[in-house]
Amino acid sequence: MAMVGLFWIAEGDVYLGAKPTGLAPGVRLTPEGVMGLGDGQSTLHLWEDVRALTLADVPMKSFMRQAGKAGGVALETVMNLVLPERPLRAGEAPPTMTLHVSTDGGDHRLTAYTAAAAGYSSTEAELSGALLSRLTEGAATMSTTLAAMSDWGRRAEGGSPRGAERERLLRQWADQGS
């Protein structure tokens, strides 16, 4: 499993945001279409009907977000040392982002949890948006691009690559089928 931009790629499956479990919201990109997962959004929008994919509410990486995450972990550690008998608090849900899917039948909103706790870099968010737009340019482009992402996911070892490599991959995938 690895995160590249706003995508989570696990054993050849491509998700926007984190791979959902249970009834958690998520979005999977399949050769058939854009699949909403989770409670209240289980649906499939076929690629032939999808006209545009746009992102909203993407949490961006910032110093304050990173400091807040580190501070929260530190506070939780101190509280566990001072009050070891208190019940462990379940972690907060990660932030979400929205994928707007424009189809012949109207506009649809799908929600996905983000995979980056501290948010995404502006470059990776922009490249991910460009890649999503590229997927709507036709069946051949979509098929080639998703196949390249899936193949990389099956071969990836050792988790998510570093920032420069993630950006390189996003650019390469956005150029698929050109």
Side-chain angles (χ1 to χ4, degrees):
M1 298 185 291
M3 182 180 68
V4 178
L6 277 61
F7 303 97
W8 188 260
I9 305 170
E11 295 119 22
D13 293 333
V14 179
Y15 299 89
L16 178 67
K19 179 181 178 179
T21 59
L23 298 177
V27 176
R28 183 173 172 212
L29 305 173
T30 72
E32 293 77 30
V34 180
M35 184 180 292
L37 303 168
D39 193 29
Q41 68 176 24
S42 296
T43 186
L44 175 65
H45 301 285
L46 299 175
W47 286 114
E48 60 200 40
D49 299 330
V50 175
R51 299 294 166 245
L53 297 173
T54 54
L55 293 164
D57 310 319
V58 176
M60 302 306 286
K61 190 177 287 187
S62 70
F63 174 75
M64 291 306 291
R65 184 180 293 273
Q66 290 173 319
K69 185 70 175 170
V73 170
L75 179 60
E76 187 70 20
T77 300
V78 169
M79 292 300 287
N80 284 333
L81 291 172
V82 174
L83 301 170
E85 283 85 33
R86 77 176 174 87
L88 291 176
R89 188 181 84 197
E92 292 180 16
T96 60
M97 60 184 156
T98 304
L99 178 67
H100 293 272
V101 182
S102 297
T103 68
D104 292 335
D107 293 332
H108 312 275
R109 291 173 31 150
L110 298 175
T111 302
Y113 283 130
T114 61
Y120 298 98
S121 75
S122 59
T123 302
E124 286 186 80
E126 289 171 22
L127 289 169
S128 296
L131 180 52
L132 284 169
S133 292
R134 187 89 170 114
L135 292 174
T136 65
E137 292 179 0
T141 300
M142 177 277 304
S143 178
T144 303
T145 303
L146 279 181
M149 294 172 80
S150 295
D151 289 344
W152 179 86
R154 283 189 281 278
R155 291 189 320 268
E157 294 179 15
S160 300
R162 296 229 176 246
E165 176 65 6
R166 292 192 306 265
E167 290 175 16
R168 186 193 69 75
L169 285 166
L170 290 167
R171 284 185 180 95
Q172 175 185 332
W173 294 333
D175 290 339
Q176 293 290 320
S178 294

